[in-house]
Amino acid sequence: MTDHYYTQKPTVKHNVREIEFQVGDRKLKLKTDAGVFSKSEVDFGSRLLIETMVLPAKARILDVGCGYGPIGLSAAFKCPSGHVTMVDINERAIELTAQNAERNGIRNITVHQSDKLEAVNTEKFDVVLTNPPIRAGKQTVHAIFEQAYECLNPGGGLWVVIQKKQGSPSAFAKMEELFGEADEVTKDKGYRIIRAFKK
């Protein structure tokens, strides 16, 4: 596989920068780097998911493909009585996530390097959030959905952001197949937020 963000050990030269991201009344300062997804700014899809997601107060939350951390850290900030586990295959992304949590004083998180959900497949969660790694291919994205279903508690929800032109119809169909039903919560600028609950 070519060296892009869905890579275990990126070899591209480091280019560390800092960006700011507003979550409610809180401004997060996030370090990013070359070789991670959306390094210049928090991408529109992630922002739409962060704005849309509904998190139970004491939820155990999983962020799959966390990158440098915007979705999971936002979830941890919005859900201070809950706990967020963040996973990514990319070791550079995982290092950045841990640093970003520390520098923003966010403690209710755990970070693991993981191919899909392999590092957490014995754990159970109330919410799984993902802006899935489209460049890894449909097989990988659908495997994330399958593993998320297995890791969810009954009543737990999978929240996915995906662009229509990058496979939202097939993602919706896969989630319907797994969960029995799914719904499109919102859409904006070609992005869809799809949610499904485990019965």
Side-chain angles (χ1 to χ4, degrees):
M1 189 174 284
T2 56
D3 187 14
H4 56 71
Y5 66 81
Y6 195 78
T7 299
Q8 190 169 357
K9 291 180 178 289
T11 55
V12 64
K13 186 179 177 182
H14 287 281
N15 181 22
V16 177
R17 66 176 76 185
E18 182 180 281
I19 63 172
E20 291 188 344
F21 178 61
Q22 191 78 27
V23 184
D25 60 358
R26 173 79 185 275
K27 188 171 283 186
L28 300 179
K29 293 182 182 295
L30 303 175
K31 271 176 68 176
T32 79
D33 198 354
V36 301
F37 176 67
S38 197
K39 63 183 181 294
S40 301
E41 62 179 355
V42 177
D43 65 292
F44 184 83
S46 292
R47 284 188 275 127
L48 186 62
L49 180 56
I50 290 162
E51 290 165 8
T52 308
M53 62 191 184
V54 178
L55 307 173
K58 296 183 179 179
R60 287 181 50 78
I61 301 162
L62 176 65
D63 175 10
V64 182
C66 64
Y68 52 84
I71 295 171
L73 294 177
S74 297
F77 172 67
K78 292 173 105 173
C79 194
S81 299
H83 188 88
V84 182
T85 300
M86 304 168 72
V87 298
D88 200 297
I89 194 172
N90 182 326
E91 67 177 20
R92 192 174 289 185
I94 287 300
E95 289 168 5
L96 288 166
T97 292
Q99 291 171 22
N100 286 332
E102 182 69 28
R103 68 207 310 249
N104 287 284
I106 296 173
R107 307 269 181 252
N108 55 328
I109 64 137
T110 306
V111 182
H112 299 289
Q113 186 173 5
S114 177
D115 185 0
K116 301 183 280 293
L117 280 70
E118 287 175 8
V120 294
N121 62 11
T122 60
E123 298 183 43
K124 291 292 181 184
F125 300 93
D126 303 306
V127 179
V128 178
L129 307 167
T130 187
N131 183 348
I134 299 301
R135 290 184 65 178
K138 185 163 77 172
Q139 186 175 353
T140 296
V141 172
H142 287 191
I144 287 171
F145 297 169
E146 290 165 359
Q147 292 174 19
Y149 179 84
E150 294 301 323
C151 282
L152 278 167
N153 286 316
L158 170 62
W159 293 71
V160 176
V161 58
I162 194 164
Q163 278 186 285
K164 184 174 182 181
K165 67 182 181 182
Q166 292 184 329
S168 73
S170 68
F172 191 92
K174 182 64 177 179
M175 288 170 69
E176 279 193 318
E177 175 194 321
L178 287 167
F179 290 84
E181 59 182 324
D183 65 297
E184 184 179 275
V185 182
T186 191
K187 59 184 177 181
D188 195 2
K189 296 183 180 176
Y191 287 85
R192 300 325 199 232
I193 304 294
I194 306 168
R195 175 186 61 185
F197 292 103
K198 187 173 183 177
K199 293 184 173 62

